[in-house]
Amino acid sequence: MIVLSASFFLRSRWIQFRAIMGQSNSQLSEFQKRKLLHEFHTFFDLNKDGKLEVKDMHLAKKKICEMSGWKPGTEKYRKINELIIQIWTKLDEDGDANFDGRITEDEWLNMWENFNRRSLLKATKENNNGTTNIPDWLEKYIEYKFDLLDRTGDGEIDIEEYEYVMSEFGVPSKDARNAFIMFSENYQKKVDAVYFRELCVQLYRSDDPCALGNFINGRLNYTD
């Protein structure tokens, strides 16, 4: 009876965790794949050659420095350069399965399935829901992205800042504004670093089409 009770408890925790995350197992759903591939092609593969390499990360550094007016030799330039190197080093370790210095679409998706698997197992063993678990490199990337969007550096992203930065990545102004209204809950929610991280976790981890984090990249749907 004790064994059965323990088994039932663990199963209940597992089901609860799956319900919170909106996913039933470590395998990515088609919805998750579309989200992750959109992220890959829009914000990572900046030279649009179908694979992610260190040069894409340097293009990201160049873009943010040009947008912000940070010149080589300045403290801001030095910090963003160090951050980009840290992100790539960790991302390369997690994603480059065949050690050829590049991450393909398949490797990108496999990386996320592997992380989901590890995260689900860890959450079950530690008796928690695991909703905040993300890779180490992504923690740094979220910091970078928040700073990129927070143009004035006041610790909060407003709609004008968001629309401007999204336009640099090809997002139409109308879509950006509608997306901001969605994830800010019609301007009722302050988009600070804590809430932005929460939204990012939903974008990368959740299989729930209603999760507000789905909109943080200015994409209103992932059906096409």
Side-chain angles (χ1 to χ4, degrees), residues 171-224:
V171 178
S173 294
K174 182 179 179 181
D175 289 354
R177 286 187 167 268
N178 286 335
F180 189 91
I181 291 171
M182 293 288 288
F183 65 71
S184 68
E185 299 184 33
N186 200 24
Y187 307 109
Q188 297 303 304
K189 193 84 171 179
K190 184 169 94 169
V191 188
D192 57 13
V194 174
Y195 182 52
F196 185 73
R197 184 190 183 280
E198 179 184 328
L199 293 170
C200 286
V201 171
Q202 293 175 7
L203 173 70
Y204 283 95
R205 298 293 315 283
S206 178
D207 190 27
D208 180 4
C210 296
L212 295 180
N214 296 332
F215 303 105
I216 62 171
N217 284 335
R219 185 76 178 261
L220 302 179
N221 68 76
Y222 293 89
T223 58
D224 52 2

Tab-separated table of all heavy atoms in Angstrom, residues 171-224:
chain	number	residue	atom	x	y	z
A	171	VAL	N	9.797	42.907	-37.964
A	171	VAL	CA	8.422	42.750	-37.478
A	171	VAL	C	7.620	43.999	-37.827
A	171	VAL	O	8.022	45.109	-37.460
A	171	VAL	CB	8.393	42.523	-35.952
A	171	VAL	CG1	6.953	42.420	-35.451
A	171	VAL	CG2	9.188	41.280	-35.582
A	172	PRO	N	6.491	43.870	-38.532
A	172	PRO	CA	5.659	45.039	-38.870
A	172	PRO	C	5.197	45.775	-37.607
A	172	PRO	O	4.907	45.152	-36.578
A	172	PRO	CB	4.469	44.430	-39.614
A	172	PRO	CG	4.973	43.120	-40.141
A	172	PRO	CD	5.950	42.631	-39.106
A	173	SER	N	5.123	47.102	-37.690
A	173	SER	CA	4.755	47.917	-36.531
A	173	SER	C	3.403	47.517	-35.949
A	173	SER	O	3.227	47.445	-34.723
A	173	SER	CB	4.730	49.399	-36.913
A	173	SER	OG	6.024	49.855	-37.235
A	174	LYS	N	2.441	47.250	-36.823
A	174	LYS	CA	1.100	46.882	-36.353
A	174	LYS	C	1.152	45.584	-35.547
A	174	LYS	O	0.521	45.475	-34.483
A	174	LYS	CB	0.146	46.731	-37.536
A	174	LYS	CG	-1.281	46.399	-37.128
A	174	LYS	CD	-2.189	46.287	-38.348
A	174	LYS	CE	-3.619	45.932	-37.931
A	174	LYS	NZ	-4.512	45.802	-39.117
A	175	ASP	N	1.902	44.602	-36.040
A	175	ASP	CA	2.027	43.336	-35.327
A	175	ASP	C	2.715	43.534	-33.980
A	175	ASP	O	2.311	42.940	-32.962
A	175	ASP	CB	2.814	42.323	-36.153
A	175	ASP	CG	2.031	41.808	-37.357
A	175	ASP	OD1	0.839	42.166	-37.479
A	175	ASP	OD2	2.611	41.062	-38.157
A	176	ALA	N	3.767	44.359	-33.965
A	176	ALA	CA	4.500	44.608	-32.726
A	176	ALA	C	3.597	45.255	-31.684
A	176	ALA	O	3.600	44.868	-30.507
A	176	ALA	CB	5.715	45.491	-33.000
A	177	ARG	N	2.814	46.225	-32.106
A	177	ARG	CA	1.922	46.917	-31.165
A	177	ARG	C	0.848	45.973	-30.627
A	177	ARG	O	0.539	45.970	-29.434
A	177	ARG	CB	1.287	48.136	-31.818
A	177	ARG	CG	2.266	49.297	-31.973
A	177	ARG	CD	1.615	50.573	-32.457
A	177	ARG	NE	2.545	51.679	-32.277
A	177	ARG	CZ	2.596	52.438	-31.194
A	177	ARG	NH1	1.754	52.214	-30.194
A	177	ARG	NH2	3.469	53.415	-31.086
A	178	ASN	N	0.259	45.178	-31.513
A	178	ASN	CA	-0.761	44.232	-31.071
A	178	ASN	C	-0.184	43.192	-30.121
A	178	ASN	O	-0.820	42.812	-29.129
A	178	ASN	CB	-1.397	43.544	-32.275
A	178	ASN	CG	-2.343	44.445	-33.038
A	178	ASN	OD1	-2.895	45.406	-32.482
A	178	ASN	ND2	-2.543	44.161	-34.315
A	179	ALA	N	1.043	42.743	-30.417
A	179	ALA	CA	1.693	41.758	-29.547
A	179	ALA	C	1.956	42.350	-28.169
A	179	ALA	O	1.722	41.699	-27.142
A	179	ALA	CB	2.994	41.283	-30.181
A	180	PHE	N	2.434	43.589	-28.142
A	180	PHE	CA	2.717	44.237	-26.857
A	180	PHE	C	1.452	44.371	-26.021
A	180	PHE	O	1.463	44.136	-24.805
A	180	PHE	CB	3.348	45.610	-27.071
A	180	PHE	CG	3.855	46.246	-25.805
A	180	PHE	CD1	5.164	46.035	-25.396
A	180	PHE	CD2	3.030	47.037	-25.013
A	180	PHE	CE1	5.643	46.595	-24.218
A	180	PHE	CE2	3.493	47.604	-23.831
A	180	PHE	CZ	4.799	47.385	-23.434
A	181	ILE	N	0.356	44.755	-26.663
A	181	ILE	CA	-0.918	44.872	-25.952
A	181	ILE	C	-1.320	43.523	-25.351
A	181	ILE	O	-1.821	43.453	-24.224
A	181	ILE	CB	-2.022	45.396	-26.902
A	181	ILE	CG1	-1.744	46.867	-27.256
A	181	ILE	CG2	-3.407	45.262	-26.275
A	181	ILE	CD1	-2.625	47.416	-28.350
A	182	MET	N	-1.053	42.457	-26.104
A	182	MET	CA	-1.401	41.115	-25.619
A	182	MET	C	-0.595	40.743	-24.381
A	182	MET	O	-1.158	40.409	-23.335
A	182	MET	CB	-1.167	40.082	-26.725
A	182	MET	CG	-2.098	40.203	-27.909
A	182	MET	SD	-3.784	39.675	-27.541
A	182	MET	CE	-3.553	37.912	-27.417
A	183	PHE	N	0.750	40.781	-24.492
A	183	PHE	CA	1.535	40.264	-23.364
A	183	PHE	C	1.638	41.248	-22.203
A	183	PHE	O	1.999	40.863	-21.088
A	183	PHE	CB	2.921	39.757	-23.802
A	183	PHE	CG	3.876	40.773	-24.349
A	183	PHE	CD1	4.471	41.726	-23.543
A	183	PHE	CD2	4.235	40.749	-25.703
A	183	PHE	CE1	5.385	42.639	-24.047
A	183	PHE	CE2	5.141	41.654	-26.227
A	183	PHE	CZ	5.715	42.608	-25.387
A	184	SER	N	1.299	42.513	-22.422
A	184	SER	CA	1.250	43.461	-21.305
A	184	SER	C	-0.147	43.526	-20.696
A	184	SER	O	-0.397	44.336	-19.794
A	184	SER	CB	1.663	44.863	-21.767
A	184	SER	OG	0.695	45.419	-22.647
A	185	GLU	N	-1.034	42.666	-21.203
A	185	GLU	CA	-2.417	42.619	-20.735
A	185	GLU	C	-3.055	44.003	-20.804
A	185	GLU	O	-3.558	44.549	-19.827
A	185	GLU	CB	-2.494	42.031	-19.326
A	185	GLU	CG	-1.965	40.606	-19.250
A	185	GLU	CD	-2.136	39.986	-17.876
A	185	GLU	OE1	-3.115	40.314	-17.196
A	185	GLU	OE2	-1.271	39.172	-17.492
A	186	ASN	N	-3.009	44.540	-22.037
A	186	ASN	CA	-3.592	45.860	-22.327
A	186	ASN	C	-2.974	46.951	-21.441
A	186	ASN	O	-3.668	47.800	-20.889
A	186	ASN	CB	-5.111	45.834	-22.159
A	186	ASN	CG	-5.778	46.979	-22.896
A	186	ASN	OD1	-5.233	47.517	-23.852
A	186	ASN	ND2	-6.964	47.365	-22.439
A	187	TYR	N	-1.634	46.911	-21.327
A	187	TYR	CA	-0.825	47.884	-20.589
A	187	TYR	C	-0.993	47.797	-19.071
A	187	TYR	O	-0.464	48.650	-18.348
A	187	TYR	CB	-1.140	49.324	-21.035
A	187	TYR	CG	-1.053	49.556	-22.511
A	187	TYR	CD1	-2.211	49.757	-23.267
A	187	TYR	CD2	0.169	49.585	-23.177
A	187	TYR	CE1	-2.153	49.977	-24.637
A	187	TYR	CE2	0.238	49.803	-24.543
A	187	TYR	CZ	-0.929	49.991	-25.272
A	187	TYR	OH	-0.864	50.208	-26.625
A	188	GLN	N	-1.683	46.789	-18.586
A	188	GLN	CA	-1.902	46.673	-17.149
A	188	GLN	C	-0.709	46.032	-16.440
A	188	GLN	O	-0.532	46.212	-15.230
A	188	GLN	CB	-3.163	45.843	-16.875
A	188	GLN	CG	-4.440	46.464	-17.406
A	188	GLN	CD	-4.680	47.862	-16.854
A	188	GLN	OE1	-4.732	48.058	-15.642
A	188	GLN	NE2	-4.812	48.830	-17.751
A	189	LYS	N	0.111	45.311	-17.197
A	189	LYS	CA	1.251	44.597	-16.620
A	189	LYS	C	2.547	45.323	-16.962
A	189	LYS	O	2.823	45.617	-18.133
A	189	LYS	CB	1.299	43.178	-17.189
A	189	LYS	CG	2.237	42.237	-16.467
A	189	LYS	CD	1.581	41.623	-15.261
A	189	LYS	CE	2.476	40.528	-14.686
A	189	LYS	NZ	1.869	39.913	-13.495
A	190	LYS	N	3.345	45.643	-15.956
A	190	LYS	CA	4.633	46.288	-16.181
A	190	LYS	C	5.617	45.259	-16.731
A	190	LYS	O	5.833	44.209	-16.115
A	190	LYS	CB	5.167	46.887	-14.886
A	190	LYS	CG	6.460	47.660	-15.059
A	190	LYS	CD	6.799	48.442	-13.806
A	190	LYS	CE	7.708	47.644	-12.939
A	190	LYS	NZ	8.287	48.443	-11.818
A	191	VAL	N	6.206	45.558	-17.891
A	191	VAL	CA	7.139	44.612	-18.517
A	191	VAL	C	8.546	44.901	-18.005
A	191	VAL	O	9.367	45.534	-18.672
A	191	VAL	CB	7.062	44.689	-20.059
A	191	VAL	CG1	7.895	43.569	-20.686
A	191	VAL	CG2	5.612	44.590	-20.539
A	192	ASP	N	8.809	44.428	-16.802
A	192	ASP	CA	10.139	44.571	-16.222
A	192	ASP	C	10.931	43.279	-16.445
A	192	ASP	O	10.454	42.360	-17.114
A	192	ASP	CB	10.053	44.921	-14.736
A	192	ASP	CG	9.266	43.887	-13.924
A	192	ASP	OD1	8.991	42.783	-14.446
A	192	ASP	OD2	8.930	44.184	-12.768
A	193	ALA	N	12.129	43.209	-15.897
A	193	ALA	CA	13.004	42.067	-16.161
A	193	ALA	C	12.411	40.756	-15.642
A	193	ALA	O	12.546	39.709	-16.285
A	193	ALA	CB	14.379	42.308	-15.536
A	194	VAL	N	11.751	40.798	-14.495
A	194	VAL	CA	11.172	39.583	-13.917
A	194	VAL	C	10.034	39.061	-14.789
A	194	VAL	O	9.978	37.865	-15.106
A	194	VAL	CB	10.663	39.854	-12.485
A	194	VAL	CG1	9.927	38.632	-11.936
A	194	VAL	CG2	11.830	40.218	-11.563
A	195	TYR	N	9.141	39.948	-15.183
A	195	TYR	CA	8.009	39.520	-16.014
A	195	TYR	C	8.484	39.115	-17.402
A	195	TYR	O	7.973	38.156	-17.991
A	195	TYR	CB	6.978	40.643	-16.119
A	195	TYR	CG	5.748	40.278	-16.919
A	195	TYR	CD1	5.032	39.120	-16.639
A	195	TYR	CD2	5.306	41.089	-17.956
A	195	TYR	CE1	3.901	38.779	-17.371
A	195	TYR	CE2	4.172	40.759	-18.697
A	195	TYR	CZ	3.480	39.605	-18.388
A	195	TYR	OH	2.362	39.271	-19.122
A	196	PHE	N	9.489	39.797	-17.930
A	196	PHE	CA	10.018	39.459	-19.250
A	196	PHE	C	10.603	38.048	-19.238
A	196	PHE	O	10.409	37.287	-20.176
A	196	PHE	CB	11.081	40.470	-19.672
A	196	PHE	CG	11.600	40.260	-21.063
A	196	PHE	CD1	10.828	40.578	-22.166
A	196	PHE	CD2	12.869	39.727	-21.278
A	196	PHE	CE1	11.301	40.377	-23.457
A	196	PHE	CE2	13.352	39.532	-22.558
A	196	PHE	CZ	12.564	39.862	-23.650
A	197	ARG	N	11.311	37.691	-18.167
A	197	ARG	CA	11.851	36.338	-18.070
A	197	ARG	C	10.719	35.306	-18.031
A	197	ARG	O	10.802	34.256	-18.665
A	197	ARG	CB	12.716	36.179	-16.820
A	197	ARG	CG	13.376	34.802	-16.716
A	197	ARG	CD	14.034	34.580	-15.373
A	197	ARG	NE	14.708	33.277	-15.328
A	197	ARG	CZ	14.094	32.127	-15.107
A	197	ARG	NH1	12.783	32.094	-14.927
A	197	ARG	NH2	14.787	30.994	-15.081
A	198	GLU	N	9.665	35.620	-17.295
A	198	GLU	CA	8.503	34.722	-17.225
A	198	GLU	C	7.917	34.488	-18.620
A	198	GLU	O	7.580	33.363	-18.989
A	198	GLU	CB	7.452	35.334	-16.304
A	198	GLU	CG	6.188	34.525	-16.150
A	198	GLU	CD	5.154	35.233	-15.300
A	198	GLU	OE1	5.551	35.979	-14.370
A	198	GLU	OE2	3.943	35.058	-15.552
A	199	LEU	N	7.812	35.561	-19.390
A	199	LEU	CA	7.290	35.446	-20.752
A	199	LEU	C	8.217	34.615	-21.628
A	199	LEU	O	7.768	33.807	-22.446
A	199	LEU	CB	7.105	36.836	-21.363
A	199	LEU	CG	6.018	37.717	-20.745
A	199	LEU	CD1	6.114	39.144	-21.294
A	199	LEU	CD2	4.625	37.143	-21.000
A	200	CYS	N	9.521	34.807	-21.465
A	200	CYS	CA	10.496	34.047	-22.261
A	200	CYS	C	10.431	32.558	-21.952
A	200	CYS	O	10.535	31.723	-22.858
A	200	CYS	CB	11.907	34.572	-22.003
A	200	CYS	SG	12.253	36.171	-22.764
A	201	VAL	N	10.260	32.209	-20.684
A	201	VAL	CA	10.135	30.805	-20.308
A	201	VAL	C	8.926	30.191	-21.010
A	201	VAL	O	8.979	29.072	-21.531
A	201	VAL	CB	10.017	30.649	-18.780
A	201	VAL	CG1	9.669	29.203	-18.408
A	201	VAL	CG2	11.312	31.060	-18.098
A	202	GLN	N	7.822	30.928	-21.056
A	202	GLN	CA	6.627	30.443	-21.744
A	202	GLN	C	6.897	30.255	-23.234
A	202	GLN	O	6.469	29.263	-23.834
A	202	GLN	CB	5.471	31.415	-21.543
A	202	GLN	CG	4.958	31.496	-20.121
A	202	GLN	CD	3.894	32.564	-19.946
A	202	GLN	OE1	3.440	33.173	-20.914
A	202	GLN	NE2	3.496	32.806	-18.707
A	203	LEU	N	7.599	31.196	-23.834
A	203	LEU	CA	7.902	31.100	-25.259
A	203	LEU	C	8.707	29.840	-25.564
A	203	LEU	O	8.392	29.093	-26.501
A	203	LEU	CB	8.679	32.331	-25.721
A	203	LEU	CG	9.193	32.280	-27.167
A	203	LEU	CD1	8.034	32.376	-28.150
A	203	LEU	CD2	10.212	33.378	-27.424
A	204	TYR	N	9.740	29.597	-24.788
A	204	TYR	CA	10.655	28.497	-25.082
A	204	TYR	C	10.171	27.142	-24.583
A	204	TYR	O	10.515	26.120	-25.157
A	204	TYR	CB	12.029	28.784	-24.470
A	204	TYR	CG	12.841	29.789	-25.241
A	204	TYR	CD1	12.826	31.134	-24.895
A	204	TYR	CD2	13.630	29.392	-26.312
A	204	TYR	CE1	13.572	32.065	-25.607
A	204	TYR	CE2	14.384	30.310	-27.022
A	204	TYR	CZ	14.346	31.643	-26.665
A	204	TYR	OH	15.081	32.553	-27.363
A	205	ARG	N	9.393	27.107	-23.499
A	205	ARG	CA	9.076	25.832	-22.866
A	205	ARG	C	7.633	25.381	-23.033
A	205	ARG	O	7.349	24.191	-23.073
A	205	ARG	CB	9.388	25.892	-21.366
A	205	ARG	CG	10.839	26.149	-20.993
A	205	ARG	CD	11.765	25.014	-21.360
A	205	ARG	NE	11.251	23.703	-21.005
A	205	ARG	CZ	11.254	23.185	-19.777
A	205	ARG	NH1	11.756	23.861	-18.774
A	205	ARG	NH2	10.767	21.986	-19.554
A	206	SER	N	6.689	26.322	-23.088
A	206	SER	CA	5.287	25.934	-23.011
A	206	SER	C	4.728	25.471	-24.356
A	206	SER	O	5.114	25.960	-25.413
A	206	SER	CB	4.450	27.115	-22.504
A	206	SER	OG	3.079	26.774	-22.477
A	207	ASP	N	3.797	24.531	-24.271
A	207	ASP	CA	3.064	24.067	-25.444
A	207	ASP	C	1.634	24.612	-25.443
A	207	ASP	O	0.783	24.155	-26.187
A	207	ASP	CB	3.036	22.534	-25.452
A	207	ASP	CG	2.502	21.970	-26.770
A	207	ASP	OD1	2.636	22.653	-27.802
A	207	ASP	OD2	1.928	20.873	-26.752
A	208	ASP	N	1.390	25.608	-24.609
A	208	ASP	CA	0.053	26.202	-24.489
A	208	ASP	C	-0.087	27.365	-25.478
A	208	ASP	O	0.576	28.389	-25.323
A	208	ASP	CB	-0.142	26.709	-23.058
A	208	ASP	CG	-1.512	27.346	-22.843
A	208	ASP	OD1	-2.336	27.318	-23.787
A	208	ASP	OD2	-1.748	27.867	-21.741
A	209	PRO	N	-0.951	27.253	-26.494
A	209	PRO	CA	-1.120	28.328	-27.477
A	209	PRO	C	-1.628	29.628	-26.863
A	209	PRO	O	-1.515	30.701	-27.479
A	209	PRO	CB	-2.145	27.757	-28.463
A	209	PRO	CG	-2.052	26.280	-28.303
A	209	PRO	CD	-1.759	26.064	-26.846
A	210	CYS	N	-2.205	29.554	-25.655
A	210	CYS	CA	-2.757	30.746	-25.009
A	210	CYS	C	-1.736	31.456	-24.121
A	210	CYS	O	-2.043	32.521	-23.566
A	210	CYS	CB	-3.980	30.368	-24.174
A	210	CYS	SG	-5.360	29.721	-25.136
A	211	ALA	N	-0.556	30.894	-23.952
A	211	ALA	CA	0.456	31.517	-23.094
A	211	ALA	C	0.862	32.870	-23.668
A	211	ALA	O	1.172	32.990	-24.855
A	211	ALA	CB	1.669	30.604	-22.957
A	212	LEU	N	0.878	33.900	-22.836
A	212	LEU	CA	1.181	35.254	-23.313
A	212	LEU	C	2.604	35.378	-23.832
A	212	LEU	O	2.892	36.228	-24.677
A	212	LEU	CB	0.941	36.266	-22.183
A	212	LEU	CG	-0.509	36.413	-21.719
A	212	LEU	CD1	-0.602	37.449	-20.591
A	212	LEU	CD2	-1.408	36.822	-22.882
A	213	GLY	N	3.510	34.512	-23.344
A	213	GLY	CA	4.889	34.559	-23.819
A	213	GLY	C	5.034	34.259	-25.297
A	213	GLY	O	6.050	34.606	-25.910
A	214	ASN	N	4.032	33.634	-25.896
A	214	ASN	CA	4.080	33.344	-27.330
A	214	ASN	C	4.168	34.600	-28.178
A	214	ASN	O	4.569	34.548	-29.339
A	214	ASN	CB	2.839	32.549	-27.757
A	214	ASN	CG	2.752	31.183	-27.104
A	214	ASN	OD1	3.769	30.598	-26.757
A	214	ASN	ND2	1.541	30.686	-26.916
A	215	PHE	N	3.797	35.739	-27.600
A	215	PHE	CA	3.706	36.968	-28.387
A	215	PHE	C	4.920	37.884	-28.244
A	215	PHE	O	4.969	38.934	-28.899
A	215	PHE	CB	2.444	37.745	-27.986
A	215	PHE	CG	1.181	36.960	-28.124
A	215	PHE	CD1	0.538	36.458	-27.003
A	215	PHE	CD2	0.633	36.694	-29.367
A	215	PHE	CE1	-0.629	35.717	-27.122
A	215	PHE	CE2	-0.533	35.955	-29.497
A	215	PHE	CZ	-1.164	35.464	-28.370
A	216	ILE	N	5.896	37.525	-27.436
A	216	ILE	CA	6.955	38.496	-27.142
A	216	ILE	C	7.872	38.784	-28.324
A	216	ILE	O	8.627	39.760	-28.294
A	216	ILE	CB	7.811	38.075	-25.929
A	216	ILE	CG1	8.535	36.757	-26.188
A	216	ILE	CG2	6.984	38.016	-24.671
A	216	ILE	CD1	9.540	36.423	-25.104
A	217	ASN	N	7.813	37.967	-29.371
A	217	ASN	CA	8.630	38.239	-30.555
A	217	ASN	C	7.843	38.958	-31.644
A	217	ASN	O	8.302	39.073	-32.781
A	217	ASN	CB	9.207	36.943	-31.117
A	217	ASN	CG	10.364	36.435	-30.280
A	217	ASN	OD1	11.029	37.207	-29.592
A	217	ASN	ND2	10.606	35.141	-30.313
A	218	GLY	N	6.645	39.428	-31.296
A	218	GLY	CA	5.858	40.167	-32.275
A	218	GLY	C	5.103	39.288	-33.245
A	218	GLY	O	4.485	39.791	-34.193
A	219	ARG	N	5.144	37.994	-33.026
A	219	ARG	CA	4.418	37.056	-33.874
A	219	ARG	C	3.052	36.805	-33.252
A	219	ARG	O	2.960	36.419	-32.089
A	219	ARG	CB	5.206	35.748	-33.987
A	219	ARG	CG	4.622	34.702	-34.940
A	219	ARG	CD	4.867	35.053	-36.388
A	219	ARG	NE	4.345	34.031	-37.276
A	219	ARG	CZ	5.091	33.076	-37.834
A	219	ARG	NH1	6.388	33.034	-37.607
A	219	ARG	NH2	4.538	32.189	-38.643
A	220	LEU	N	1.990	36.995	-34.014
A	220	LEU	CA	0.650	36.888	-33.481
A	220	LEU	C	0.091	35.477	-33.570
A	220	LEU	O	-0.848	35.133	-32.840
A	220	LEU	CB	-0.285	37.876	-34.195
A	220	LEU	CG	0.132	39.340	-34.098
A	220	LEU	CD1	-0.841	40.236	-34.853
A	220	LEU	CD2	0.229	39.781	-32.636
A	221	ASN	N	0.620	34.647	-34.458
A	221	ASN	CA	0.224	33.247	-34.518
A	221	ASN	C	1.339	32.438	-35.153
A	221	ASN	O	2.234	32.991	-35.808
A	221	ASN	CB	-1.094	33.068	-35.290
A	221	ASN	CG	-0.937	33.379	-36.761
A	221	ASN	OD1	-0.392	32.572	-37.509
A	221	ASN	ND2	-1.435	34.532	-37.198
A	222	TYR	N	1.291	31.145	-34.953
A	222	TYR	CA	2.312	30.236	-35.495
A	222	TYR	C	1.667	29.136	-36.329
A	222	TYR	O	2.126	28.013	-36.357
A	222	TYR	CB	3.120	29.622	-34.344
A	222	TYR	CG	3.968	30.621	-33.601
A	222	TYR	CD1	3.444	31.306	-32.513
A	222	TYR	CD2	5.268	30.905	-33.998
A	222	TYR	CE1	4.209	32.240	-31.821
A	222	TYR	CE2	6.037	31.827	-33.323
A	222	TYR	CZ	5.497	32.489	-32.236
A	222	TYR	OH	6.266	33.416	-31.566
A	223	THR	N	0.611	29.517	-37.017
A	223	THR	CA	-0.110	28.528	-37.823
A	223	THR	C	0.418	28.439	-39.240
A	223	THR	O	0.108	27.489	-39.960
A	223	THR	CB	-1.610	28.864	-37.886
A	223	THR	OG1	-1.784	30.192	-38.433
A	223	THR	CG2	-2.230	28.808	-36.492
A	224	ASP	N	1.219	29.416	-39.688
A	224	ASP	CA	1.745	29.370	-41.055
A	224	ASP	C	3.253	29.187	-41.055
A	224	ASP	O	3.885	29.189	-40.011
A	224	ASP	CB	1.370	30.645	-41.810
A	224	ASP	CG	1.749	31.915	-41.057
A	224	ASP	OD1	2.338	31.802	-39.965
A	224	ASP	OD2	1.457	33.004	-41.555
